[in-house]
Amino acid sequence: MKKIVIIPCFGEGHFIEHQLQNLIDNLNPTHIIYNEGLFPKGPENKGGVNDQFRSNYCYKNTNLAWDTELVQETINKYSKLYPNTTILWNSVDYTDVDANNCYVYSVSNFKELGIDVEEGDLIFPIEGDVFFHEDDIEALNEMINSLKPNEGLQAPYLDFYQNQYYTEGDSLDFERIHKRRIVIKFGTWEYYKDVVQNFTSQKYPQLKMFPKYIFHYAWWRPGKYLELRFSQLLRSPAYHKDIRTALQQAKENFKEKIDLRKNHPEDSLSRYIVRIEVDHPKHIKNHPNYLKFQ
């Protein structure tokens, strides 16, 4: 049985070494694949790519990110450190289609990589800013071992802003917290693609619930990585201003809740990021956004 982690990425070099170690230590995969390439319309299909964007964020005249050399060097390093795990970097040139179709392709292109996916193989289609907590792996493996082909797991995602303390207010409500697919036991391509095409809607009625948090560092973006995130999300200037202000206040790390979406009602959890204290995966604790105190 193969255990394949497959990740579309663009501009995630600041995470890659931390994530690779997290995946190897926790999932013990047979394969880890990073498909690097620019989705033409942004990660949420709200953006567009023009010459200025390419000049700022692409590597030379390619669809790769400016930090691709770091990504490739790190993958090469880990391939040598862990020769029993097949760790691949692959350049993908996506056609001008919506984010859903780009994503489906980015986690399904096994044939071109020479990987024969068979019934019973486990596929983890995740993103480059997702981490598993080491304390949850025993429970995760128990649920995985009970899966049949054409079954899989989803889990609640804790979305963190700026550092380890601030997450979306909605995360305090299990019914409203974002839930995403984490693993699928392969049976048929029809089932697999039916699951992963829900990337944008984030609704997975086909999947069982793994009742532990997955750690999603969606807004841990130092320096140029943060500017990339804003450039990919074509929203109003007020929206960007509110998020920048919230991130700055989170960096100061003293408020219990911070306005994130000022157009939401004051009594709505979705208006805020809130301060919480939870233990984070050990592999993220050397990331520059993780606050350390003497």
Side-chain angles (χ1 to χ4, degrees):
M1 179 188 71
K2 294 182 284 295
K3 294 175 70 174
I4 306 169
V5 181
I6 187 163
I7 303 166
C9 68
F10 183 88
E12 301 283 13
H14 61 111
F15 278 128
I16 189 166
E17 184 156 14
H18 312 288
Q19 188 186 50
L20 274 167
Q21 197 65 62
N22 180 265
L23 296 171
I24 290 167
D25 288 352
N26 288 327
L27 301 183
N28 190 28
T30 58
H31 298 72
I32 303 174
I33 302 161
Y34 282 91
N35 277 322
E36 183 177 352
L38 177 65
F39 283 18
K41 294 186 178 179
E44 298 183 12
N45 207 28
K46 295 179 173 66
V49 176
N50 56 26
D51 290 342
Q52 185 63 51
F53 182 99
R54 289 186 173 278
S55 175
N56 289 340
Y57 303 114
C58 290
Y59 180 76
K60 299 181 179 178
N61 295 317
T62 72
N63 289 312
L64 306 175
W66 81 94
D67 66 345
T68 187
E69 291 183 353
L70 170 62
V71 171
Q72 293 181 56
E73 288 169 4
T74 305
I75 288 172
N76 184 53
K77 169 186 170 181
Y78 272 75
S79 294
K80 293 176 180 177
L81 284 173
Y82 298 95
N84 293 327
T85 302
T86 300
I87 306 175
L88 301 175
W89 173 88
N90 181 50
S91 172
V92 182
D93 186 6
Y94 299 98
T95 55
D96 190 11
V97 295
D98 66 29
N100 257 352
N101 289 334
C102 281
Y103 184 78
V104 170
Y105 179 78
S106 73
V107 295
S108 304
N109 62 332
F110 301 105
K111 186 174 181 180
E112 73 178 54
L113 298 170
I115 299 172
D116 183 20
V117 177
E118 301 171 289
E119 183 176 294
D121 288 344
L122 296 171
I123 305 176
F124 297 79
I126 60 173
E127 294 90 42
D129 53 7
V130 168
F131 286 68
F132 295 83
H133 199 291
E134 56 272 14
D135 290 349
D136 298 331
I137 298 306
E138 183 177 353
L140 177 61
N141 285 334
E142 287 180 4
M143 288 198 70
I144 286 175
N145 290 338
S146 71
L147 293 176
K148 299 175 182 178
N150 284 343
E151 291 184 344
L153 302 177
Q154 59 179 313
Y157 269 41
L158 272 179
D159 294 335
F160 285 92
Y161 284 71
Q162 186 58 41
N163 55 48
Q164 67 267 35
Y165 294 115
Y166 289 93
T167 188
E168 298 231 15
D170 280 0
S171 299
L172 303 180
D173 183 342
F174 191 84
E175 296 302 316
R176 298 179 64 182
I177 188 174
H178 296 156
K179 302 171 183 75
R180 302 190 186 186
R181 70 277 161 278
I182 53 172
V183 61
I184 299 163
K185 190 165 190 176
F186 187 79
T188 63
W189 284 113
E190 180 181 10
Y191 177 85
Y192 180 76
K193 292 185 176 180
D194 185 52
V195 172
V196 297
Q197 72 180 356
N198 294 326
F199 165 68
T200 300
S201 71
Q202 297 182 26
K203 304 294 184 184
Y204 298 97
Q206 317 95 323
L207 302 180
K208 299 178 181 180
M209 186 64 64
F210 177 60
K212 302 284 187 178
Y213 288 126
I214 302 300
F215 290 73
H216 185 212
Y217 299 100
W219 285 95
W220 282 32
R221 306 284 165 177
K224 189 171 181 176
Y225 293 102
L226 180 59
E227 298 311 312
L228 167 64
R229 181 66 175 163
F230 282 119
S231 295
Q232 288 175 315
L233 297 178
L234 291 190
R235 307 283 182 86
S236 70
Y239 177 91
H240 283 189
K241 181 181 178 182
D242 287 348
I243 292 186
R244 288 185 187 274
T245 300
L247 293 174
Q248 181 57 44
Q249 291 180 12
K251 189 180 296 186
E252 295 165 1
N253 188 32
F254 67 91
K255 289 188 174 184
E256 291 301 313
K257 66 178 181 180
I258 296 170
D259 281 329
L260 179 69
R261 303 176 182 94
K262 293 182 179 179
N263 60 328
H264 288 208
E266 290 189 9
D267 61 352
S268 172
L269 290 172
S270 64
R271 179 182 173 111
Y272 306 102
I273 53 175
V274 296
R275 196 177 192 282
I276 64 171
E277 293 200 29
V278 296
D279 184 50
H280 285 252
K282 63 184 181 181
H283 306 94
I284 199 64
K285 293 181 181 180
N286 289 324
H287 188 278
N289 281 54
Y290 188 90
L291 295 180
K292 295 182 180 180
F293 303 100
Q294 299 299 326

